[in-house]
Amino acid sequence: MTIRRVKIVLLCEDSQHEAFVRRFLKGMGWNTREIRVEKSPSAGGSAEQWVRENFPNELEVYRKRRQRAASALIAVTDADTVKVESRISGFEAACNSRQIAFRGADEAVAIVVPRRNIETWIHYLSGESVDERYDYPKLQRERGCKLAADQLVKMCKSSGLPTHAPPSLAAACDEYLRVKSSVQDDIR
């Protein structure tokens, strides 16, 4: 099934996040030509902070766009040394500080938080044993995540993630299902 009529905004820290998420969405049948990427400037300080601070703006834009067309917002930020829940709470606090309601249960808004970083998932999906507390090295090229993203697609389309999958990856799968379900409701 191809999901064609959805405008997706991908709010992310860097090109590695973009490459991984694009490849995953493409593999899951989404039209990647409908993705607008908002990425932290490379020399602009904390990329996590940039994503968090821009989230409320993109959430407002999503809500306006959703009235006209099926839309989704996906924010990706590394957990680094904090818990996934803490990062998500930071997004909620950013919305509260701007007096913008945080995402609703019926909204196609995902907050994806790889712990410690996206490279943890890439190493796991490449068949390695991983520890989410360890800082895995960056890939030489962003497109080096192709096989890992394809492996995640394969898992999602078959039996799902193994029980030993990193907890942050399992949480991201729940976020994906949340977006997919909300978008399908909007298309109907």
Side-chain angles (χ1 to χ4, degrees):
M1 164 177 91
T2 302
I3 305 170
R4 300 173 196 255
R5 304 176 322 158
V6 180
K7 301 282 185 187
I8 301 172
V9 173
L10 173 59
L11 183 64
C12 60
E13 288 187 13
D14 57 32
S15 296
Q16 188 62 75
H17 286 168
E18 177 185 357
F20 187 86
V21 172
R22 270 187 186 278
R23 183 73 186 190
F24 172 76
L25 291 174
K26 181 178 181 182
M28 294 303 288
W30 296 77
N31 182 352
T32 55
R33 292 181 187 171
E34 297 292 327
I35 297 176
R36 175 175 60 89
V37 177
E38 294 295 328
K39 189 171 28 181
S40 172
S42 58
S46 168
E48 177 278 325
Q49 180 181 358
W50 184 90
V51 172
R52 180 175 23 89
E53 289 177 354
N54 281 278
F55 180 77
N57 297 337
E58 293 299 339
L59 185 57
E60 284 189 312
V61 170
Y62 158 79
R63 288 176 174 149
K64 290 175 186 170
R65 188 180 332 105
R66 183 181 185 197
Q67 296 171 2
R68 299 184 316 272
S71 303
L73 170 59
I74 301 172
V76 185
T77 188
D78 290 333
D80 298 321
T81 58
V82 301
K83 293 182 179 185
V84 171
E85 299 79 17
S86 295
R87 283 289 189 240
I88 293 173
S89 294
F91 281 80
E92 186 170 10
C95 288
N96 290 342
S97 72
R98 303 251 331 267
Q99 296 164 351
I100 296 170
F102 191 53
R103 66 177 178 179
D106 65 333
E107 293 182 310
V109 177
I111 301 172
V112 176
V113 186
R115 185 162 184 238
R116 169 162 187 164
N117 52 37
I118 191 78
E119 287 78 15
T120 305
W121 292 0
I122 293 168
H123 284 264
Y124 168 76
L125 293 165
S126 298
E128 296 177 36
S129 181
V130 298
D131 181 336
E132 289 189 315
R133 296 171 296 177
Y134 182 74
D135 189 13
Y136 291 88
K138 296 197 178 296
L139 302 178
Q140 288 183 348
R141 294 183 178 182
E142 287 85 9
R143 67 178 181 223
C145 70
K146 178 182 182 276
L147 295 176
D150 291 347
Q151 179 64 25
L152 181 57
V153 168
K154 190 174 169 182
M155 289 175 177
C156 289
K157 287 186 173 180
S158 63
S159 58
L161 292 178
T163 56
H164 65 278
S168 65
L169 184 56
C173 287
D174 291 342
E175 291 287 314
Y176 171 75
L177 293 174
R178 171 187 216 289
V179 165
K180 185 177 174 187
S181 173
S182 294
V183 165
Q184 287 174 339
D185 290 345
D186 286 349
I187 292 174
R188 291 183 193 140

Coordinates of all heavy atoms in Angstrom, one line a residue, residues 98-153:
R98 N 5.0 28.4 25.1 CA 4.5 29.2 24.0 C 2.9 29.2 24.0 O 2.3 29.7 23.1 CB 5.0 28.7 22.6 CG 6.5 28.7 22.5 CD 7.1 29.7 21.6 NE 6.3 30.2 20.5 CZ 6.4 29.6 19.3 NH1 7.1 28.6 19.0 NH2 5.6 30.1 18.4
Q99 N 2.4 28.6 25.0 CA 0.9 28.5 25.2 C 0.3 27.8 24.0 O -0.8 28.2 23.5 CB 0.3 29.8 25.5 CG 0.8 30.3 26.8 CD 0.5 31.8 27.0 OE1 0.1 32.5 26.1 NE2 0.8 32.3 28.2
I100 N 0.9 26.7 23.5 CA 0.4 25.9 22.4 C 0.1 24.5 23.0 O 1.0 24.0 23.7 CB 1.5 25.8 21.3 CG1 1.7 27.2 20.7 CG2 1.1 24.8 20.2 CD1 2.9 27.3 19.8
A101 N -1.0 24.0 22.7 CA -1.4 22.7 23.2 C -0.4 21.6 22.7 O -0.1 21.7 21.5 CB -2.8 22.4 22.9
F102 N 0.0 20.8 23.5 CA 0.9 19.7 23.1 C 0.1 18.7 22.2 O -1.1 18.8 22.2 CB 1.4 18.9 24.3 CG 2.5 18.0 24.0 CD1 3.7 18.3 23.3 CD2 2.5 16.7 24.5 CE1 4.7 17.5 23.0 CE2 3.5 15.7 24.2 CZ 4.6 16.1 23.5
R103 N 0.8 17.9 21.5 CA 0.1 17.0 20.5 C -1.1 16.2 21.1 O -1.0 15.8 22.3 CB 1.1 16.0 19.9 CG 1.6 15.1 20.9 CD 2.6 14.1 20.3 NE 3.1 13.2 21.3 CZ 3.9 12.2 21.1 NH1 4.3 12.0 19.8 NH2 4.4 11.5 22.1
G104 N -2.1 16.1 20.4 CA -3.3 15.3 20.8 C -3.2 13.9 20.4 O -2.4 13.6 19.4
A105 N -4.0 13.0 21.0 CA -3.9 11.6 20.7 C -4.3 11.3 19.2 O -3.9 10.3 18.6 CB -4.8 10.8 21.6
D106 N -5.1 12.2 18.7 CA -5.6 12.0 17.3 C -4.8 12.7 16.2 O -5.1 12.7 15.1 CB -7.1 12.5 17.2 CG -7.2 14.0 17.4 OD1 -6.4 14.6 18.1 OD2 -8.1 14.6 16.8
E107 N -3.7 13.3 16.6 CA -2.8 14.0 15.7 C -1.7 13.1 15.2 O -1.1 12.4 16.0 CB -2.3 15.3 16.4 CG -3.4 16.3 16.6 CD -2.8 17.6 17.2 OE1 -2.1 17.5 18.2 OE2 -3.2 18.6 16.7
A108 N -1.4 13.3 13.9 CA -0.3 12.5 13.3 C 1.1 13.2 13.6 O 1.7 13.8 12.7 CB -0.5 12.4 11.8
V109 N 1.4 13.2 14.8 CA 2.6 13.9 15.3 C 3.5 12.9 16.1 O 3.0 12.4 17.1 CB 2.3 15.1 16.2 CG1 3.6 15.8 16.7 CG2 1.5 16.1 15.4
A110 N 4.7 12.6 15.6 CA 5.6 11.7 16.2 C 6.8 12.4 16.7 O 7.3 13.3 16.1 CB 6.0 10.6 15.2
I111 N 7.2 12.0 17.9 CA 8.5 12.4 18.4 C 9.4 11.2 18.6 O 9.1 10.3 19.4 CB 8.3 13.2 19.8 CG1 7.4 14.4 19.6 CG2 9.7 13.6 20.3 CD1 7.0 15.0 20.9
V112 N 10.4 11.1 17.8 CA 11.3 9.9 17.7 C 12.6 10.3 18.4 O 13.2 11.3 18.0 CB 11.5 9.5 16.3 CG1 12.4 8.4 16.1 CG2 10.1 9.2 15.6
V113 N 13.0 9.5 19.4 CA 14.1 9.8 20.2 C 15.1 8.6 20.3 O 14.9 7.8 21.2 CB 13.7 10.3 21.6 CG1 15.0 10.7 22.4 CG2 12.7 11.3 21.6
P114 N 16.0 8.5 19.4 CA 17.0 7.4 19.5 C 17.9 7.6 20.7 O 18.3 8.8 21.0 CB 17.9 7.6 18.2 CG 17.1 8.4 17.3 CD 16.2 9.3 18.2
R115 N 18.2 6.6 21.4 CA 19.0 6.7 22.6 C 20.3 5.8 22.4 O 20.1 4.7 22.0 CB 18.3 6.2 23.8 CG 19.1 6.5 25.1 CD 18.2 6.4 26.3 NE 19.1 6.8 27.4 CZ 19.3 6.0 28.5 NH1 18.6 4.8 28.6 NH2 20.1 6.3 29.4
R116 N 21.3 6.2 22.5 CA 21.9 7.5 22.8 C 21.9 8.4 21.6 O 21.7 9.6 21.6 CB 23.4 7.2 23.3 CG 24.2 8.5 23.4 CD 25.4 8.3 24.2 NE 26.0 9.7 24.3 CZ 26.9 10.0 25.2 NH1 27.3 9.1 26.0 NH2 27.3 11.2 25.2
N117 N 22.1 7.7 20.4 CA 22.0 8.5 19.2 C 21.5 7.5 18.1 O 21.3 6.3 18.3 CB 23.3 9.1 18.8 CG 24.4 8.2 18.8 OD1 24.3 7.0 18.4 ND2 25.6 8.6 19.2
I118 N 21.2 8.1 16.9 CA 20.7 7.3 15.8 C 21.6 6.1 15.4 O 21.2 5.1 14.9 CB 20.3 8.2 14.6 CG1 19.5 7.4 13.5 CG2 21.6 8.7 13.9 CD1 18.1 7.2 13.8
E119 N 22.9 6.3 15.6 CA 23.9 5.3 15.3 C 23.7 4.1 16.2 O 24.0 2.9 15.7 CB 25.3 5.9 15.5 CG 25.7 6.8 14.4 CD 25.2 8.3 14.6 OE1 24.7 8.6 15.7 OE2 25.2 9.0 13.6
T120 N 23.1 4.2 17.3 CA 22.8 3.0 18.2 C 21.9 2.1 17.4 O 22.1 0.9 17.3 CB 22.2 3.4 19.5 OG1 23.0 4.4 20.2 CG2 21.9 2.2 20.4
W121 N 20.8 2.7 16.8 CA 19.9 1.9 16.1 C 20.5 1.3 14.8 O 20.2 0.2 14.5 CB 18.7 2.8 15.6 CG 17.8 3.3 16.7 CD1 17.9 3.0 18.0 CD2 16.7 4.1 16.5 NE1 16.9 3.7 18.7 CE2 16.1 4.4 17.8 CE3 16.1 4.7 15.4 CZ2 15.0 5.1 18.0 CZ3 15.0 5.5 15.6 CH2 14.4 5.7 16.9
I122 N 21.3 2.1 14.1 CA 22.0 1.6 12.9 C 22.9 0.4 13.2 O 22.8 -0.6 12.5 CB 22.8 2.7 12.2 CG1 21.8 3.8 11.7 CG2 23.6 2.2 11.1 CD1 22.4 5.1 11.3
H123 N 23.6 0.5 14.3 CA 24.5 -0.7 14.7 C 23.6 -1.9 15.1 O 23.9 -3.0 14.7 CB 25.4 -0.3 15.8 CG 26.6 0.6 15.3 ND1 27.8 0.1 15.0 CD2 26.6 1.9 15.1 CE1 28.6 1.0 14.6 NE2 27.9 2.2 14.7
Y124 N 22.5 -1.6 15.8 CA 21.6 -2.8 16.2 C 21.0 -3.4 15.0 O 21.0 -4.6 14.8 CB 20.5 -2.3 17.1 CG 19.5 -3.3 17.3 CD1 19.7 -4.4 18.1 CD2 18.3 -3.2 16.6 CE1 18.7 -5.4 18.3 CE2 17.3 -4.2 16.7 CZ 17.5 -5.3 17.5 OH 16.5 -6.2 17.7
L125 N 20.5 -2.6 14.1 CA 19.8 -3.1 12.9 C 20.8 -3.7 11.9 O 20.4 -4.5 11.0 CB 19.0 -2.0 12.2 CG 17.8 -1.5 13.0 CD1 17.3 -0.2 12.5 CD2 16.7 -2.5 13.0
S126 N 22.1 -3.5 12.1 CA 23.2 -4.1 11.3 C 23.6 -5.4 11.9 O 24.6 -6.0 11.4 CB 24.3 -3.1 11.1 OG 23.9 -2.0 10.5
G127 N 23.0 -5.8 13.0 CA 23.2 -7.1 13.6 C 24.1 -7.1 14.8 O 24.5 -8.2 15.3
E128 N 24.5 -5.9 15.3 CA 25.4 -5.9 16.4 C 24.6 -5.8 17.7 O 23.4 -5.4 17.7 CB 26.2 -4.6 16.4 CG 27.2 -4.5 15.2 CD 28.0 -3.2 15.1 OE1 28.3 -2.7 16.2 OE2 28.2 -2.8 14.0
S129 N 25.2 -6.2 18.8 CA 24.6 -6.1 20.1 C 24.9 -4.7 20.6 O 26.1 -4.2 20.4 CB 25.3 -7.1 21.1 OG 24.7 -7.0 22.3
V130 N 24.0 -3.9 21.1 CA 24.2 -2.6 21.5 C 23.8 -2.3 22.9 O 23.0 -3.0 23.5 CB 23.4 -1.6 20.5 CG1 23.9 -1.7 19.1 CG2 21.9 -1.8 20.6
D131 N 24.3 -1.2 23.4 CA 23.9 -0.7 24.7 C 23.6 0.8 24.5 O 24.4 1.6 24.0 CB 25.1 -0.8 25.7 CG 24.9 -0.3 27.1 OD1 24.0 0.5 27.3 OD2 25.6 -0.7 28.0
E132 N 22.4 1.2 24.9 CA 21.9 2.6 24.6 C 22.7 3.6 25.4 O 22.5 4.8 25.1 CB 20.4 2.7 24.8 CG 19.6 2.0 23.8 CD 18.1 2.3 23.9 OE1 17.6 2.2 25.0 OE2 17.5 2.5 22.9
R133 N 23.5 3.2 26.3 CA 24.3 4.2 27.0 C 25.6 4.6 26.3 O 26.2 5.5 26.6 CB 24.6 3.7 28.4 CG 23.3 3.5 29.3 CD 23.6 2.8 30.5 NE 24.1 1.5 30.2 CZ 24.5 0.5 31.0 NH1 24.5 0.8 32.3 NH2 24.9 -0.6 30.6
Y134 N 26.0 3.7 25.3 CA 27.2 3.9 24.6 C 27.1 4.8 23.4 O 26.1 4.8 22.7 CB 27.7 2.5 24.2 CG 29.1 2.5 23.5 CD1 30.2 2.8 24.2 CD2 29.1 2.4 22.1 CE1 31.5 2.8 23.5 CE2 30.3 2.4 21.4 CZ 31.5 2.6 22.2 OH 32.7 2.7 21.5
D135 N 28.1 5.6 23.2 CA 28.1 6.6 22.1 C 28.7 5.9 20.9 O 29.9 5.8 20.8 CB 28.8 7.8 22.5 CG 28.7 9.0 21.4 OD1 27.8 8.9 20.6 OD2 29.5 9.9 21.5
Y136 N 27.9 5.5 19.9 CA 28.4 4.8 18.7 C 28.9 5.8 17.7 O 28.4 6.9 17.6 CB 27.3 3.9 18.1 CG 27.1 2.7 19.0 CD1 26.1 2.8 20.0 CD2 27.8 1.5 18.9 CE1 25.9 1.7 20.8 CE2 27.6 0.5 19.7 CZ 26.6 0.6 20.7 OH 26.4 -0.5 21.6
P137 N 30.0 5.4 17.0 CA 30.6 6.4 16.0 C 29.6 6.7 14.8 O 28.8 5.9 14.4 CB 31.8 5.7 15.5 CG 31.6 4.2 15.8 CD 30.7 4.2 16.9
K138 N 29.8 7.9 14.4 CA 29.0 8.4 13.2 C 29.5 7.6 12.0 O 30.6 7.2 11.9 CB 29.2 9.9 13.0 CG 28.6 10.7 14.1 CD 28.4 12.1 13.7 CE 27.9 12.9 14.9 NZ 26.6 12.5 15.3
L139 N 28.6 7.5 11.0 CA 28.9 6.8 9.8 C 29.7 7.8 8.9 O 29.6 9.0 9.0 CB 27.7 6.4 9.0 CG 26.7 5.5 9.7 CD1 25.5 5.2 8.9 CD2 27.4 4.2 10.1
Q140 N 30.6 7.2 8.0 CA 31.3 8.1 7.1 C 30.4 8.8 6.2 O 30.7 10.0 5.8 CB 32.4 7.3 6.3 CG 33.5 6.8 7.2 CD 34.5 6.0 6.4 OE1 34.3 5.7 5.3 NE2 35.7 5.8 7.0
R141 N 29.4 8.2 5.7 CA 28.4 8.8 4.8 C 27.0 8.5 5.4 O 26.7 7.4 5.8 CB 28.5 8.3 3.4 CG 29.8 8.6 2.8 CD 29.9 8.1 1.4 NE 31.1 8.5 0.7 CZ 31.4 8.3 -0.5 NH1 30.6 7.6 -1.3 NH2 32.6 8.7 -1.0
E142 N 26.1 9.5 5.3 CA 24.8 9.3 5.8 C 24.1 8.1 5.1 O 23.3 7.4 5.8 CB 24.0 10.6 5.6 CG 24.3 11.7 6.6 CD 25.5 12.5 6.1 OE1 25.9 12.4 4.9 OE2 26.0 13.4 6.8
R143 N 24.3 8.0 3.8 CA 23.6 6.9 3.1 C 24.1 5.5 3.6 O 23.5 4.5 3.2 CB 23.8 7.1 1.6 CG 25.2 6.9 1.2 CD 25.3 7.0 -0.3 NE 26.7 6.8 -0.7 CZ 27.3 7.5 -1.6 NH1 26.7 8.5 -2.2 NH2 28.6 7.2 -1.9
G144 N 25.1 5.4 4.4 CA 25.5 4.2 5.0 C 24.5 3.5 5.8 O 24.7 2.3 6.2
C145 N 23.4 4.2 6.1 CA 22.3 3.6 7.0 C 21.3 2.8 6.2 O 20.4 2.3 6.7 CB 21.6 4.7 7.8 SG 20.6 5.8 6.7
K146 N 21.5 2.8 4.9 CA 20.5 2.1 4.0 C 20.1 0.7 4.4 O 18.9 0.4 4.5 CB 21.1 2.1 2.5 CG 20.2 1.4 1.5 CD 20.9 1.4 0.2 CE 20.0 0.8 -0.9 NZ 20.1 -0.6 -1.0
L147 N 21.1 -0.1 4.6 CA 20.8 -1.5 5.0 C 20.1 -1.6 6.4 O 19.2 -2.4 6.6 CB 22.0 -2.4 5.0 CG 22.7 -2.6 3.6 CD1 24.0 -3.4 3.7 CD2 21.7 -3.2 2.6
A148 N 20.5 -0.7 7.3 CA 19.8 -0.7 8.6 C 18.4 -0.3 8.5 O 17.5 -0.9 9.1 CB 20.6 0.2 9.6
A149 N 18.1 0.8 7.7 CA 16.7 1.2 7.6 C 15.9 0.2 6.9 O 14.7 -0.1 7.2 CB 16.7 2.5 6.8
D150 N 16.5 -0.5 5.9 CA 15.8 -1.6 5.2 C 15.5 -2.7 6.1 O 14.4 -3.4 6.0 CB 16.6 -2.1 4.0 CG 16.7 -1.0 2.8 OD1 15.9 0.0 2.9 OD2 17.5 -1.2 1.9
Q151 N 16.4 -3.0 7.0 CA 16.2 -4.1 8.0 C 15.0 -3.7 8.9 O 14.2 -4.5 9.2 CB 17.4 -4.3 8.8 CG 17.3 -5.4 9.9 CD 17.0 -6.8 9.3 OE1 17.3 -7.1 8.2 NE2 16.3 -7.6 10.1
L152 N 14.9 -2.4 9.3 CA 13.8 -2.0 10.1 C 12.5 -2.1 9.4 O 11.5 -2.6 9.9 CB 14.0 -0.6 10.6 CG 12.9 0.0 11.5 CD1 12.7 -0.8 12.8 CD2 13.2 1.5 11.9
V153 N 12.5 -1.8 8.1 CA 11.3 -1.9 7.3 C 10.8 -3.4 7.3 O 9.7 -3.7 7.4 CB 11.5 -1.4 5.8 CG1 10.4 -1.9 4.9 CG2 11.7 0.1 5.8

